Amino acid sequence: MSATAKKKAPMPADILARKGGEPLVCLTAYSTPIARLTDPHCDLVLVGDSVGMVLHGLESTLGVTMDMMIMHGRAVRRGLEHALMVMDMPFGSYEESPEQAFRNAAELMRETGAGAVKLEGGVEMEETIRFLTSRSIPVMAHIGLTPQAINTLGGYKVQGRGDDRARVMADAEAVTRAGAFSVVLEKVPASLSDEITAAIPIPTIGIGASAGCDGQILVVDDMLGLFTAFKPKFAKRYGELGQAADEAIAAYAAEVRARSFPAPEHVFGDAAPEAKT
């Protein structure tokens, strides 16, 4: 099947069924135009809380609100036909209790048309994930480096090295028991990522993990070269659109200052052109 061929949008159960099969292609999106570009090529599109840093200039994801997620989720939904849309639950929207998590997850899905939500945490979120999945809220889990917990993790550090391997493995087992249909492994050593992928029956989605994961995800602005505030080691650049945009804007500015834009073909005369007969 070609990249642009029509395909039915997968559901969480379809993603789960891909365990051990063809790798899952996942990207973030925050707007309708980007959603339309990712849709023909991706199995899953995540409306990530990374939108706070990428589009709103925040220093971390902690300032992202439900209203922000709903606004961007609605925009992405308008651009998708073929990929499963998953919504990140923002910081403070699910940690208090399973009941709080259900109310906010239900609102995100109802207001955006998403097919699932994603939340961060392992063992400590097992009860919450089970509560959601038993009430028809599909959950993608997220363990390893969890950006909403950077203040307790001590920054954006690799998780699962040395004695910490057992903790990350326990997190993977916990979210699996709770009913998550997949799990993101972020900044987890490749050997541990492979061990987790072999040990659990749900797909692993790597970001800074291993090529052996069941799928991969990147922040779309990272891989396109649009977000340049910093460049994680795992964020391979597949384009340099930021540089191209800078050059285009510089050319426009130069032409405006030189009065070479607008040129005659960009302006209107006093008389309308005669209609051709």
Side-chain angles (χ1 to χ4, degrees):
M1 180 182 293
S2 70
T4 56
K6 289 270 187 180
K7 61 178 182 178
K8 180 182 177 183
M11 301 188 73
D14 298 316
I15 299 297
L16 176 61
R18 292 276 295 275
K19 174 70 180 181
E22 182 181 34
L24 294 156
V25 179
C26 314
L27 282 171
T28 65
Y30 319 112
S31 67
T32 305
I34 295 297
R36 287 175 176 155
L37 290 172
T38 61
D39 186 49
H41 308 285
C42 290
D43 301 295
L44 183 152
V45 170
L46 172 69
V47 185
D49 60 357
S50 48
V51 67
M53 302 172 72
V54 173
L55 295 189
H56 293 271
L58 301 179
E59 292 185 358
S60 73
T61 62
L62 301 183
V64 175
T65 66
M66 284 283 292
D67 286 344
M68 290 167 66
M69 293 304 301
I70 289 171
M71 176 180 68
H72 289 285
R74 287 171 174 168
V76 170
R77 179 68 268 168
R78 296 183 193 110
L80 295 182
E81 294 182 35
H82 311 301
L84 172 67
M85 182 171 116
V86 179
M87 292 292 301
D88 253 342
M89 297 194 69
F91 178 68
S93 70
Y94 61 94
E95 296 91 339
E96 182 180 334
S97 67
E99 291 77 11
Q100 180 211 28
F102 177 81
R103 287 193 301 272
N104 286 320
E107 181 180 6
L108 282 175
M109 292 182 68
R110 182 174 58 248
E111 294 295 329
T112 67
V117 299
K118 181 172 78 64
L119 56 81
E120 298 180 7
V123 171
E124 72 279 13
M125 284 292 118
E126 182 174 359
E127 179 185 358
T128 295
I129 295 172
R130 183 174 291 110
F131 191 90
L132 295 180
T133 57
S134 66
R135 288 161 176 79
S136 303
I137 304 284
V139 175
M140 169 183 270
H142 184 154
I143 64 172
L145 173 65
T146 47
Q148 293 175 9
I150 57 169
N151 289 327
T152 54
L153 294 175
Y156 297 96
K157 298 178 179 179
V158 174
Q159 303 294 305
R161 285 175 168 161
D163 294 340
D164 196 37
R165 289 177 72 92
R167 176 186 67 83
V168 177
M169 176 61 80
D171 284 342
E173 293 169 342
V175 301
T176 302
R177 285 194 302 269
F181 71 90
S182 60
V183 57
V184 172
L185 306 181
E186 181 167 357
K187 291 193 83 168
V188 173
S191 62
L192 178 56
S193 299
D194 290 340
E195 185 179 340
I196 291 171
T197 299
I200 64 174
I202 66 174
T204 56
I205 311 297
I207 178 167
S210 166
C213 289
D214 296 297
Q216 301 294 328
I217 189 165
L218 284 176
V219 171
V220 69
D221 292 70
D222 283 340
M223 59 89 69
L224 291 177
L226 289 169
F227 183 69
T228 57
F230 59 87
K231 182 181 181 296
K233 177 180 180 179
F234 54 77
K236 179 178 177 179
R237 292 274 173 81
Y238 287 84
E240 292 294 347
L241 302 194
Q243 179 179 335
D246 179 70
E247 292 171 357
I249 293 167
Y252 164 74
E255 289 190 7
V256 169
R257 293 186 178 112
R259 297 189 184 278
S260 61
F261 176 83
E265 63 267 27
H266 304 122
V267 297
F268 302 93
D270 294 326
E274 293 183 5
K276 292 184 179 179
T277 58

